[in-house]
Amino acid sequence: MRSIWNGAISFGLVSIPIKVVNATESHSISFRQIHTEDGGRIRYRKVCELDDREVTQSEIGKGYEDADGTIIPITDEDLAHLPLPTAKTIEIVAFVPADRIDPLHMDSAYYLAVSGAPAAKPYTLLREALKRSQKVAIAKFALRGRERLGMLRVVGDAIAMHGLLWPDEVREPEGVAPDTKVTINDKELDLADALMDTLGEIDLEELHDEYQEALEEVVAAKAAGEAPPEAPEPAAGGRVLDLMAALESSVRAAKESRGEAPDEKKGQVRSLPQRKSARAAPKQTAGKKSTATKKTAAKKTASSAKKSTSKTAQGAKKTAAKSTAKSAAKKTPAKKTASRKRTA
C-alpha cells in the first residue's frame, strides 16, 4: 500500500520510524459532468482573474484571504518551518481506556506500518503494551497542513490510527431530541427488548451496498443499449398509530425471517386499550382479563355439570322404564294361565 505520510511515533524516549497508509477505500461510482446536448465533457480551467489567462499547476500556490479580502501568500517553505514538534512525529501524549473515546470524535482511519527493520522491535513493544493494558494511545500529529488528534489501537498484528476531531469541532445535540413529553411503559420496553434480541447480532461481512449494486446495473444496461431495470414498488408508508402492534408485528416478522416459529401469544397483534395511566394500565388489564377468564371457566364448568346431570337422569329414567316393561311382560302370561284354570 502506498504511504501518505512518513515519520515516527514518539513513545517517551522511544522513536519508532513508521509509514502511514490509508486503512479504508471507496468503491463508489463517480460521474463526470457532461453537456446534455452532445455528451461532451465539461472541464474546469484554472484562470487567473488578474491577467485573465489559464495557468498551469506549477504556477499555483497557497494564499490566505484576510478579512478585508487581501490575499497573503503562504509558501511550502513557510509551512515546513512551522514550530510544531508533530510535523514529522506522531507524539503519544496519554493512554486511556477505549470507552473514554466518543465515536462522534472519530475521523479517518489509517494503518501504521514499520519503516525499516530496526523499527520492528519498538513497534512490537508498543503493540503488545497496548494489548496488555487494554488501552488506546492518544497522540498529536500534523497531516495535510494542520495538526490533528489521533487514537492508536491494535488491529490484528498491526497498529491502527484513527484521526480524532478536536473537542470544539463536535457540535452539541441541541434541539435534536423531541421537545414533547413522552411516556414509555414497561410493556413497550419489553417488546423493544424482544425485538432487539430477535434481530440479534450480525457479521458486518454479510452486509453489502445495495445502492452501489443497483447503480452498477443501471450503468451496465445503459452501456449495452438496454432499458435500465425498473425500480420496485415502494413499501406502503404511513403513520404508526399503534406502537404496540407495530412492535409485536416486528418481533413476529423478525422471527419468521430467521426461520423461528413465532410465539402465538406473544406475536398476537392487538389494539391498545384506552387507559388513563400508562404504568397502571397493564396491571389492571391483566387483572380484568384474569377475572373474566375465571368467570368464563366457571360458567363452562357449571354448564358441563348440568348437562352431565341431565344426561344421567334421562339415562336412569330410560333404564327404569325398560325394567318396568320387562316385569309387566313376565306377569301377563301368569295371569292368563290362572284365568284358564278357573274357567276349566
Side-chain angles (χ1 to χ4, degrees), residues 266-317:
K266 293 184 178 180
Q268 186 177 1
V269 178
R270 63 180 72 88
S271 301
L272 281 173
Q274 297 294 328
R275 48 181 181 267
K276 296 180 180 179
S277 173
R279 292 191 172 274
K283 295 180 180 179
Q284 293 172 0
T285 304
K288 290 178 181 179
K289 287 185 178 180
S290 177
T291 305
T293 303
K294 289 181 179 179
K295 289 181 178 179
T296 303
K299 288 180 180 179
K300 288 183 178 180
T301 304
S303 177
S304 299
K306 288 179 179 179
K307 289 180 180 179
S308 176
T309 305
S310 176
K311 288 181 179 180
T312 304
Q314 291 176 2
K317 289 179 179 179

Side-chain angles (χ1 to χ4, degrees), residues 167 249 329:
S249 299

Side-chain angles (χ1 to χ4, degrees), residues 45-55:
R45 292 182 172 87
K46 298 179 179 180
V47 178
C48 176
E49 64 179 14
L50 295 180
D51 53 17
D52 195 23
R53 71 176 181 86
E54 187 177 353
V55 297

Side-chain angles (χ1 to χ4, degrees), residues 49 62-74:
E49 64 179 14
K62 298 181 180 70
Y64 175 79
E65 185 175 3
D66 207 350
D68 60 358
T70 304
I71 301 297
I72 303 172
I74 302 294

Side-chain angles (χ1 to χ4, degrees), residues 185-218:
N185 60 46
D186 294 337
K187 178 64 175 177
E188 292 166 337
L189 283 174
D190 291 342
L191 280 171
D193 290 341
L195 179 58
M196 292 169 64
D197 292 338
T198 304
L199 292 176
E201 299 181 359
I202 192 171
D203 185 358
L204 293 180
E205 297 294 332
E206 299 176 4
L207 302 178
H208 58 280
D209 189 346
E210 296 182 10
Y211 178 84
Q212 177 77 10
E213 293 176 354
L215 192 56
E216 290 174 355
E217 291 180 6
V218 170

Side-chain angles (χ1 to χ4, degrees), residues 21-24 107-111 160-163:
V21 297
N22 283 317
T24 61
D107 201 357
S108 302
Y110 310 93
Y111 287 131
M161 179 173 68
H162 295 269

